[in-house]
């Protein structure tokens, strides 16, 4: 890592604990809208459905509005819970509004960012929506650590498209060879970065993946 000057992080599922914060958000809005469903039953169906729709969104096969509506509609249909289109619209808007209010981070996030920011320039590349991601970063006190923040709305494309990485590099005024990407998605973060010559570290575990991978952010200290 001797040549590295700039470290790019994904946000959701990498620094910001999306699943925990999403669970708390649904708990809040279900109470507000009197959705009579056991939260655990809902989440068990929602998590893989949400992942599926984000993949479609990442691939440009659905638009933002359809993502927000259909992920909830499919879950309610699967659970045989009667929900009007109006209720689904209201819930999808309330979800986006309340989500940044919960800011659980992964263990050791601040410790590691303190350590890295003393030696490197740190940046964010995220497929999340501009307003929501900036609110998350601000509310969770993460913003001061990052020199630049690139969202898919800024770049006009989503990871793993090379354009978003080139956009982020230009914004950061750095080079491929001096940069490294850290994220939880092998497809979007790791393979996307490596395809254009940026080194990457996978935040997760995959026995078939032979590259650099970690399961706790604190492990990054062994690389830098």
């Amino acid at each position: 890592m001797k040549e590295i000057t700039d470290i790019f992080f994904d946000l959701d599922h990498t620094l910001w604990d999306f699943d925990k914060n999403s669970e708390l958000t649904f708990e809040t809005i279900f109470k507000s809208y009197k959705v009579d469903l056991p939260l655990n039953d809902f989440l068990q169906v929602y998590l893989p459905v949400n992942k599926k729709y984000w993949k479609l969104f990442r691939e440009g096969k659905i638009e933002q509005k359809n993502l927000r509506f259909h992920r909830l509609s499919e879950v309610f249909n699967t659970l045989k819970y009667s929900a009007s289109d109006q209720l689904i619209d209201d819930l999808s808007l309330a979800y986006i509004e309340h989500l940044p209010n919960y800011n659980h981070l992964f263990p050791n996030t601040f410790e590691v960012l303190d350590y890295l920011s003393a030696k490197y320039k740190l940046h964010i590349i995220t497929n999340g929506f501009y307003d929501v991601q900036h609110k998350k970063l601000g509310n969770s006190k993460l913003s001061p650590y990052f020199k630049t923040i690139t969202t898919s709305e800024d770049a006009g494309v989503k990871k793993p498209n090379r354009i978003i990485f080139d956009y982020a590099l230009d914004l950061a005024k750095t080079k491929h060879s001096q940069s490294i990407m850290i994220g939880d998605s092998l497809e979007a973060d790791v393979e996307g970065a490596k395809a254009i010559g940026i080194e990457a570290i996978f935040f997760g575990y995959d026995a078939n993946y032979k590259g650099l991978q970690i399961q706790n952010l604190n492990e990054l200290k062994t690389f830098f």
Side-chain angles (χ1 to χ4, degrees):
M1 303 296 174
K2 290 182 180 179
E3 296 181 2
I4 299 298
T5 59
D6 295 76
I7 301 175
F8 293 83
F9 282 92
D10 177 44
L11 181 59
D12 295 333
H13 304 285
T14 301
L15 301 173
W16 198 83
D17 192 342
F18 184 92
D19 290 346
K20 177 64 176 177
N21 296 321
S22 184
E23 177 182 345
L24 292 169
T25 302
F26 278 119
E27 184 178 28
T28 297
I29 66 176
F30 277 12
K31 288 178 181 176
S32 297
Y33 287 89
K34 297 179 173 55
V35 175
D36 187 20
L37 265 178
L39 186 60
N40 287 339
D41 292 350
F42 171 83
L43 291 172
Q44 188 173 3
V45 179
Y46 174 80
L47 291 176
V49 168
N50 183 53
K51 186 176 181 179
K52 177 183 75 174
Y53 277 98
W54 267 100
K55 186 174 190 298
L56 293 172
F57 179 69
R58 189 167 66 239
E59 294 170 350
K61 295 178 180 178
I62 58 170
E63 296 179 354
Q64 173 182 322
K65 184 178 180 180
N66 291 331
L67 161 69
R68 293 176 175 178
F69 181 88
H70 288 295
R71 64 183 175 184
L72 289 179
S73 178
E74 181 171 325
V75 174
F76 287 140
N77 287 337
T78 300
L79 294 172
K80 296 180 169 48
Y81 182 83
S82 179
S84 66
D85 287 356
Q86 185 61 58
L87 175 60
I88 294 173
D89 280 335
D90 290 344
L91 288 171
S92 66
L93 289 173
Y95 176 81
I96 296 302
E97 179 184 348
H98 287 278
L99 184 62
N101 296 334
Y102 298 99
N103 290 285
H104 290 271
L105 304 175
F106 282 99
N108 304 309
T109 294
F110 287 118
E111 177 186 345
V112 169
L113 293 179
D114 282 332
Y115 172 83
L116 294 175
S117 62
K119 300 191 288 183
Y120 303 91
K121 289 178 286 184
L122 308 184
H123 312 272
I124 290 285
I125 307 179
T126 172
N127 279 349
F129 307 121
Y130 179 93
D131 288 341
V132 177
Q133 300 304 77
H134 277 268
K135 286 178 182 177
K136 289 176 184 176
L137 287 162
N139 292 346
S140 61
K141 314 300 184 190
L142 290 176
S143 294
Y145 288 98
F146 299 102
K147 302 295 185 184
T148 67
I149 298 165
T150 297
T151 72
S152 53
E153 288 190 63
D154 295 315
V157 295
K158 307 164 196 72
K159 296 177 290 184
N161 192 307
R162 69 169 297 140
I163 292 174
I164 191 172
F165 291 101
D166 285 333
Y167 181 100
L169 290 174
D170 287 343
L171 189 63
K173 296 180 172 58
T174 190
K175 300 176 181 178
H176 300 71
S177 60
Q178 295 175 311
S179 304
I180 190 166
M181 179 74 201
I182 300 165
D184 70 290
S185 171
L186 280 174
E187 178 187 3
D189 299 313
V190 176
E191 293 173 7
K194 286 192 167 188
I196 64 166
I198 300 174
E199 184 56 84
I201 297 175
F202 173 48
F203 180 45
Y205 177 73
D206 188 319
N208 295 317
Y209 180 63
K210 303 307 180 186
L212 302 175
Q213 55 185 317
I214 59 170
Q215 292 179 269
N216 187 299
L217 291 173
N218 211 34
E219 294 175 56
L220 288 174
K221 292 180 181 180
T222 64
F223 295 110
F224 299 100

